[in-house]
Amino acid sequence: MKRIRPGVLLLWIFILMAACRKQPDPIPEKAPLIDNGGIGLPGLRVQFTPTVNGAPLVLRSAWYRNAAGDSFQVSDHKYYVSNFTLQTDSGAVVKVPESYFLVDAADVHPREIRNVPPGTYTRISFLLGVDSARNVSGAQTGDLEQSKGMFWDWDAGYIMAKLEGFSPQSILSGSDFYFHIAGFSGRNNVLQTISFDLPTPLLVKAGEMPTLQFQSDVASWFSGASPFGFADYSSVMAPGPQAVAIANNYSKGFRLVRIDP
Amino acid sequence: MPLLLGALLAFSGCRKDPAIPENPLAASAETGFHIPAGWPAPYYSFSENPLKPEIIQLGKKLFNDPKLSRDSTISCGSCHQPAGAFSQTGHIISHGVDGRLGTRNSPGLFNLVWHPSLMWDGGANNLETQILIPLQSHVEMEMSPQELVTRVSAQPIYQKAFLEAWGTPEINLARILKSMAQFEATLISDGAKWDRVQRRQASFTADEARGEKVFMANCAVCHKPPLFTDFAFRSNGLSAGVANDSGRMRINRNEGDKYKFKVPSLRNLAFTAPYFHDGRAATIDDVLKHYSEGIAAQPAPYTDPQLHNGIRLDATEKEQLKAFLQTLNDTAFARNPAFR
């Protein structure tokens, strides 16, 4: 047997001890959800602008008309987009971890996706809503923190999209309407994956932060495969076929309008 | 050789910090959490919320703090009292802020980390987010999560406790929920006579042993040992009741799940009366009467197939069954000073 040299062994012990010194943080909390701690790697921005019939949505003062001819105002409009993936020109798929953004019509601004490997990308996909896993994973931080009025208080899970407002045609007392679209399992699943081919190849490289400008359309909630007016329903506050139908409607209202350098 | 030993020691030095166990089992002495022998693996995952004594204490403080309700009158502990195995003693249905009445009976809280879903209808899928339901309910505490964070953050006593427990002073909703979930996770009830019999530290009396036979033959399919529930949603043949509570269907909109409720554990029945989701049975005798005579007398179409004709029990069998059910009461749990 080869003789073990005490000096070498001592060195090994020393290295092992040193390697053990570094303890994990006392309480491993999840990294902030928006920024995945991109060190060095470049990134891009996404901005989602809620619109109605082509113009940015104005809360509480502007009057709009849906396909059924009802007039309405919007007081609150929010939705989640998450699980972004990018596809390169060679077909490779890059999943962006921890990409959860709450889009709020009252506060439209670009959101950063960091740590994207440099390359040329031709396609982007994202989930409209919060994946089922995160619906059942307990307390969350960042945009997913359950304090944003987007978490149900009787059937624990996220409201994927919310539209509230006022319409003379509403059948509720007070003429309000409430649509809280939720449900993440089985036939009540309202999650929708949306994909776009990019109009021009997107070059991701160090020192640049291109912004993908998306628009959603509030009018699309009421039209599409399952059109409805406020006389049909003015409130959807539970998972089920109505929520699924509305999610299917509004998923068709998304557009990628341009890429800003 | 001594050098090799040294190397081994250095390796074992690599184990995690004992105060922050990755495996909750390792924490038993300090945290009170343990997985009793022969029990399945817990459903709740501690990986994102490792147990720590200071966090558990903080969670207990929050659990018992009435400031968590809108008018500072109701805490979780108001409806979940230690002496009632964390049920609301003396109430058929729950009482919340302004004396508002709920529609369901407050269940006991124990062995919660084994529940795949919480609430009678399974409306909560995680121990942490379950807390948001009573917190925001207007018949319970009527508190918004934002207001909760503001209130807790404003108190010097919590500022100190969060710093000690979490290592940094930040107070946010996630930390509040995780702290409370840690306290709830430590509510383990495994000290009943039945448990001692399994551990061969005690034995059943003749009546208890006969009662066990009746139980295993008739009840254990749904009330499955060692947790005494299979956590499934079923109907045990109760009529719809005054509130016409549709149970599981309220959550999944599935017509086939109408009037189904999560099978409750039968541990600690001595402390959790009254019984059933709306508290309609005052005593165990009432419960047994339902199974033995009630179901057959008033058949309900949605009743679980295993109970279609009810469970005929004569007077002796009822007494034996009651003697057995008594062995599931964990007095040490209901009196545990660590939970008060």
Side-chain angles (χ1 to χ4, degrees), chain B residues 192-246:
Chain B
K193 179 171 184 183
W194 185 88
D195 300 289
R196 291 198 301 280
V197 171
Q198 308 307 304
R199 294 195 287 263
R200 313 213 180 285
Q201 294 160 344
S203 46
F204 286 137
T205 65
D207 265 356
E208 289 164 357
R210 272 180 238 116
E212 186 192 29
K213 287 217 170 62
V214 179
F215 183 85
M216 293 313 287
N218 296 291
C219 321
V221 266
C222 302
H223 299 287
K224 192 171 155 237
L227 292 149
F228 292 90
T229 159
D230 64 354
F231 299 113
F233 299 94
R234 301 171 183 274
S235 160
N236 71 344
L238 292 174
S239 60
V242 274
N244 195 25
D245 191 333
S246 66

Side-chain angles (χ1 to χ4, degrees), chain B residues 282-326:
Chain B
T283 63
I284 298 293
D285 287 320
D286 295 341
V287 170
L288 296 185
K289 199 163 158 230
H290 165 72
Y291 283 109
S292 176
E293 291 107 57
I295 298 175
Q298 217 188 351
Y302 43 82
T303 304
D304 194 285
Q306 323 211 47
L307 282 173
H308 259 332
N309 304 311
I311 300 169
R312 276 260 148 238
L313 300 163
D314 63 30
T316 330
E317 286 168 326
K318 281 184 184 165
E319 286 313 310
Q320 292 163 344
L321 201 44
K322 274 163 68 182
F324 173 73
L325 291 175
Q326 298 252 354

Side-chain angles (χ1 to χ4, degrees), chain B residues 63-276:
Chain B
F63 188 91
N64 288 309
D65 191 345
K67 289 208 183 60
L68 264 62
S69 64
R70 193 202 71 221
D71 58 3
S72 298
T73 57
I74 304 275
S75 70
C76 308
S78 310
C79 296
H80 299 290
Q81 302 158 353
F86 291 91
S87 67
Q88 190 173 25
T89 52
H91 285 283
I92 293 175
I93 50 175
S94 61
H95 285 220
V97 288
D98 298 339
R100 287 184 204 145
L101 296 179
T103 54
R104 291 181 183 163
N105 180 248
S106 309
L109 305 184
F110 45 82
N111 306 336
L112 291 170
V113 296
W114 282 274
H115 286 234
S117 68
L118 297 146
M119 311 307 255
W120 281 103
D121 54 19
N125 56 47
N126 186 292
L127 196 52
E128 297 167 15
T129 47
Q130 183 279 335
I131 297 164
L132 293 164
I133 299 178
L135 194 72
Q136 298 178 82
S137 158
H138 80 111
V139 292
E140 296 179 30
M141 300 162 84
E142 207 176 36
M143 232 348 215
S144 77
Q146 298 92 316
E147 171 68 9
L148 169 73
V149 175
T150 311
R151 264 196 214 181
V152 172
S153 305
Q155 292 183 53
I157 188 152
Y158 279 124
Q159 291 160 5
K160 190 163 164 279
F162 273 80
L163 177 62
E164 274 170 18
W166 289 91
T168 61
E170 194 185 350
I171 299 180
N172 60 29
L173 185 65
R175 284 184 172 183
I176 293 174
L177 300 182
K178 283 175 187 280
S179 304
M180 294 173 79
Q182 287 212 6
F183 170 61
E184 293 182 276
T186 63
L187 304 177
I188 307 276
S189 177
D190 70 335
K193 179 171 184 183
W194 185 88
D195 300 289
R196 291 198 301 280
V197 171
Q198 308 307 304
R199 294 195 287 263
R200 313 213 180 285
Q201 294 160 344
S203 46
F204 286 137
T205 65
D207 265 356
E208 289 164 357
R210 272 180 238 116
E212 186 192 29
K213 287 217 170 62
V214 179
F215 183 85
M216 293 313 287
N218 296 291
C219 321
V221 266
C222 302
H223 299 287
K224 192 171 155 237
L227 292 149
F228 292 90
T229 159
D230 64 354
F231 299 113
F233 299 94
R234 301 171 183 274
S235 160
N236 71 344
L238 292 174
S239 60
V242 274
N244 195 25
D245 191 333
S246 66
R248 182 64 181 159
M249 182 186 153
R250 180 170 161 270
I251 300 303
N252 68 7
R253 315 272 131 181
N254 189 344
E255 195 63 38
D257 281 338
K258 197 169 184 183
Y259 302 130
K260 290 187 182 169
F261 294 87
K262 189 174 73 179
V263 173
S265 172
L266 299 187
R267 288 178 172 272
N268 297 316
L269 291 171
F271 316 112
T272 61
Y275 309 106
F276 296 145

